[in-house]
Amino acid sequence: TLDFQFDVQDGLDTKSGILIGIAGVVITLMVTSLIGTPSLLTRIIAVIIVLVFFVSLVLSYRNIRIRDWQKPPDIDALIKEYEHEDAHTTKCKLTGTIQLAIKKNQIILEKRIQLYKWSYKIHFVGLVLLAIAVIILAFT
């Protein structure tokens, strides 16, 4: 379970990193398009798109920054700490430690998944706005 949780976390980091990269490129292109553009409509559209992608970027960055992760117990420390305990006591303490780590990680994963979903949805809205802007500006 802990390995699976680590895999999910790595996947969220990768997906959020991709959203950050795309948002950064779009923001750069939109800001560049604002320079020397006399049209008020073009400026308004570009600013709205920049703001939408900026929100997506911030949520993705915040998602990656969550690092309060519970790692599996250190075997060497466990051996040293429980070498004089009976097997049943050691198993119970080990199982309890792992169970606590899994529960804490699940709470963190749920928060990260929600942040990613919001970032992705906002990112998609930004892409739709970008497509609409291209169509509008092509015919004006």
Side-chain angles (χ1 to χ4, degrees):
T1 301
L2 286 172
D3 286 341
F4 174 75
Q5 288 178 331
F6 283 119
D7 289 344
V8 171
Q9 177 179 312
D10 288 342
L12 287 171
D13 283 347
T14 300
K15 291 174 184 177
S16 293
I18 290 169
L19 290 181
I20 288 172
I22 293 170
V25 168
V26 171
I27 289 171
T28 302
L29 291 173
M30 290 290 100
V31 169
T32 304
S33 73
L34 286 172
I35 299 171
T37 303
S39 168
L40 181 60
L41 177 63
T42 304
R43 288 176 184 256
I44 291 171
I45 291 171
V47 167
I48 291 171
I49 292 170
V50 165
L51 291 175
V52 170
F53 275 99
F54 184 76
V55 170
S56 174
L57 187 143
V58 168
L59 289 176
S60 292
Y61 180 74
R62 186 167 177 229
N63 187 16
I64 288 175
R65 295 292 304 150
I66 295 175
R67 289 287 173 223
D68 192 21
W69 200 249
Q70 299 295 312
K71 295 181 172 56
D74 178 20
I75 298 299
D76 293 332
L78 286 173
I79 290 171
K80 185 177 182 180
E81 185 175 344
Y82 297 118
E83 67 185 343
H84 300 294
E85 297 284 345
D86 63 282
H88 179 73
T89 302
T90 303
K91 285 179 189 177
C92 288
K93 289 183 179 181
L94 179 60
T95 304
T97 302
I98 292 172
Q99 184 181 22
L100 183 62
I102 289 170
K103 285 181 181 180
K104 286 182 179 181
N105 289 349
Q106 190 60 40
I107 292 168
I108 294 167
L109 273 179
E110 288 171 8
K111 180 179 180 179
R112 291 194 66 192
I113 289 168
Q114 287 304 313
L115 277 171
Y116 173 75
K117 284 181 179 179
W118 275 107
S119 179
Y120 180 81
K121 289 174 185 177
I122 293 169
H123 196 87
F124 182 76
V125 168
L127 291 174
V128 170
L129 289 174
L130 185 60
I132 292 169
V134 167
I135 292 168
I136 288 172
L137 295 174
F139 294 106
T140 56

